[in-house]
Amino acid sequence: YEPCYPTDGTAVPIGVATTTVVDFNLAPKGAVSGTIRDAVSGAPLEGIRVLAWHPTQEIVDSEYTDNQGQYSFPRLVPGTHYVVSDDWGEFVDELYDGLPCYGGPPEGCDPTKGAPIEVLSGQTITGIDLYLLNQSLVVFMDGFESGATVAWTTVEP
């Protein structure tokens, strides 16, 4: 994700007699949508925050699910994106596609460890669904669920 600064463009002189036409060729953005459901009952979950991440570890969009558990990111710049829930509540967050994110992103997991979603100009990708597990059903967590191995050590015999 690269920022766009107005001063990076070509200067257009403006004067009293200037009638210059300036055209822009803008590429259409892409879209991603899906549904968030309870992993056990399959019921749609309303009010769950969903984040779209760029590979540079930046949040590029944030939406909440509606009463049908649906969310949409309608204006994504074409390229690779990652989707993760950010509930802060009773559910274990999840990276698309099916990886738990204990503690929420980015502290609890690296959002870019999820399945990449390639967004193309003018394309809508549907079916980016997440199935969240109620935290009360989690019996054991040792911090390695996300595949992190930072705390592993080697013991010499």
Side-chain angles (χ1 to χ4, degrees):
Y1 175 75
E2 295 184 27
C4 175
Y5 301 103
T7 56
D8 289 346
T10 302
V12 177
I14 307 272
V16 176
T18 302
T19 58
T20 304
V21 175
V22 179
D23 292 326
F24 291 94
N25 292 321
L26 301 175
K29 297 207 176 182
V32 169
S33 66
T35 303
I36 297 187
R37 298 182 180 279
D38 183 296
V40 175
S41 71
L45 297 175
E46 180 179 4
I48 302 292
R49 184 176 182 218
V50 189
L51 305 173
W53 285 78
H54 188 269
T56 58
Q57 296 287 345
E58 296 179 76
I59 298 172
V60 294
D61 204 349
S62 172
E63 297 292 336
Y64 286 87
T65 56
D66 64 15
N67 62 353
Q68 296 298 309
Q70 298 175 346
Y71 71 91
S72 177
F73 300 118
R75 296 169 300 281
L76 293 177
V77 173
T80 302
H81 293 79
Y82 299 89
V83 171
V84 61
S85 67
D86 189 27
D87 177 45
W88 295 45
E90 64 183 291
F91 294 94
V92 175
D93 288 313
E94 181 178 292
L95 297 167
Y96 179 78
D97 188 19
L99 295 173
C101 180
Y102 298 102
E107 295 82 11
C109 66
D110 176 353
T112 64
K113 297 298 181 191
I117 302 162
E118 295 301 325
V119 176
L120 300 177
S121 179
Q123 177 189 39
T124 298
I125 300 171
T126 61
I128 306 300
D129 302 334
L130 302 176
Y131 298 87
L132 307 187
L133 183 64
N134 191 301
Q135 290 193 39
S136 67
L137 300 176
V138 177
V139 178
F140 174 75
M141 293 189 309
D142 65 3
F144 295 108
E145 294 80 9
S146 67
T149 58
V150 175
W152 290 9
T153 60
T154 303
V155 177
E156 296 293 325

